Amino acid sequence: MGTEIERRFLVENGTWREQTTCSTVLLQGYLSVGPATVRVRMADNEAWLTIKGPTRGLSRAEFEYPIPAADAHQMLYSLCSGNLIEKTRHLVPHHGDIWEVDEFHGLNQGLVLAELEMDNEAHVFVRPAWLGNEVTTDPRYTNSSLALNPRPGSSDAVESGKMQ
């Protein structure tokens, strides 16, 4: 069984951009949002079906399978609930960790979240200066929630005018 262990944060400013090593445009939608979440995701001509269980602490079961891009496209535009999530994922190394900074587009335009996937819940990391409030346990900031209830420009940084 696969396990996802991650922490999520709002992003306070744009200084992370200077350290970005890779960026990928993602489109994703949800076939089911609970208790198990089933997601379809596309990046260029690659696609995946991902099943995630309920979160316990910082962890949850995760299973991900490659699927044909044509199938993913059809699922995204005919089977998904809510709105599609459009975002650019930037990989940002910081003190030995790789942060995934998601810059949302479309209905969630202006929202920027950072995620750190970890090997265990006790993982200690050096906090980047651009991190804002932690939202790991805030259900409003899960991608499946953002598909159903968009939060455009809703990060603390955007609300307080700190985004660069």
Side-chain angles (χ1 to χ4, degrees), residues 145-164:
S145 290
L146 293 171
L148 298 172
N149 300 297
R151 299 184 59 79
S154 61
S155 72
D156 288 347
V158 172
E159 290 170 0
S160 65
K162 292 181 188 174
M163 285 299 289
Q164 295 180 354

Side-chain angles (χ1 to χ4, degrees), residues 76-98:
L76 284 166
Y77 291 102
S78 64
L79 299 177
C80 289
S81 302
N83 304 291
L84 297 180
I85 296 288
E86 305 167 59
K87 62 186 179 181
T88 302
R89 171 159 290 168
H90 307 276
L91 300 183
V92 183
H94 184 76
H95 289 272
D97 289 313
I98 303 294

